[in-house]
Amino acid sequence: MQLDTTSTKYYQLTASEFNWEVSDEKTIKAWGFNNSIPGPVLRAKKGETLVIKVKNHLNEPTVVHWHGIRLPSSMDGTDDTQKPIVPGEEFEYKFVVPDAGTFWYHSHQNETEQMEKGMYGALIVEDETDPVTDTERIFMIDDMRLTADNEFKKGNFFARWFERHDGREGDTLLINGKENSIVNIHAGQTERWRFINTSSAKYFRLYLSGKPFKIIATDGGLLEKTQQVTEALITPGERIDIIAGPFTQGETFAIESLPYNRMTSIKPKHQQYATVKVGAAKSSVAFIPENLRKIEALAPQDAPVTRKVKFSVVASWKHGIDFLVNNDVHTADKPVNIGELQIWEVSNTSLMDHPFHSHGFFFQVIEENGKAPAYKAWKDTYNLKPRSKVKIAWIPDNRPGRWMYHCHILEHHEAGMMAHFEVVDGSNY
Ligand code: C2O
Ligand code: CU
Ligand code: CU
């Protein structure tokens, strides 16, 4: 078979340490891809092949995970599916992007340090069925916790204990690697804004100074219908695409996060990430249909549960506190058979929130605490509220191998709140 180069996109990502200006006053020793935070935007059309060569120029091993892409297990980029890329080495990832949407890539090794220092970037998959907008922008949300000398430090025993328990939040608020940025837009235009929450633990409750906006897509692409709102919660790992505008010339407003109480010792705050300034008007070609696409329901709300998964937090002698899946740290869950509909009841028995993330497969939430969700969506990351139960449906398609699910608060993931499992061909048994 001949390689169709028109449908293959090649990229190179080099991981290294470099100086990065988050603002005029703050320069940090960042870790990232191609000397930039975020790394380069990787773009492809639905169905194309991406070939990405990752070189490691750091002093420690790394791997790169493609969050949300339905790729083969061997390309998932975790230490469960490949040998980490050691310093000086490289690895070539190659996979087809089967779904249009807002995805991202990030280090999946020593994440609480590598991701905190900037090892992430956006991966955008386009399709002809995307609504037509005048401009598209990507906003990668992050917060860094820096010392007075603009360094990353884990702090003393107590600081570390709290970081492990609460997850790391910081006061250096970044959009696309910059503090206090100004977003200049034209009046009269309708834009698509793709938000990606890359932070370790921050729950970003998107707010545009009270201006209404429309949600059109989430993790796994377009919703069925646009949803008009004035705020939207984006937990670590999640994505939301919105339609912003049209605005009037002279308007100024903030991209901010409303306080969200995720039940830790960190005080919820109202924080401003960027300022939007509306300039001279420009004509618009935008067309956003009310109905975006059809999403077939995988299962009815009352479908019988095939597996229970429990997220919990318990006191332990060794660490003070443990973050568990099915009562164990870094646990193994039972295999699932290719083609067999999965109905999982994912419960959170703890008193704090955890964003549940599954690698390589989208799911549909079919029930939350006894109620059907407000609308259908394809998700790979979904918030588990304190003491809650969420029923999800998903189908392991023909991609056998090792996979995982975990809490996307990086410190909880590191502490053990994760499970691996295998997708197997059940007809062999
Ligand atoms: Cu973005 Cu293992 O995840
Ligand atoms: Cu992932
Ligand atoms: Cu968690």
Side-chain angles (χ1 to χ4, degrees), residues 136-153:
E136 174 193 301
R137 295 173 204 266
I138 301 165
F139 293 118
M140 296 196 91
I141 304 295
D142 196 2
D143 62 334
M144 285 179 176
R145 182 166 177 177
L146 303 172
T147 64
D149 306 319
N150 298 326
E151 277 170 26
F152 298 94
K153 272 221 184 77

Side-chain angles (χ1 to χ4, degrees), residues 390-415:
V390 172
K391 219 161 129 183
I392 62 170
W394 66 282
I395 291 184
D397 54 79
N398 191 12
R399 286 175 297 129
R402 296 184 59 77
W403 297 98
M404 63 170 71
Y405 58 84
H406 59 83
C407 174
H408 218 286
I409 289 176
L410 304 180
E411 291 72 17
H412 294 173
H413 180 196
E414 178 177 83

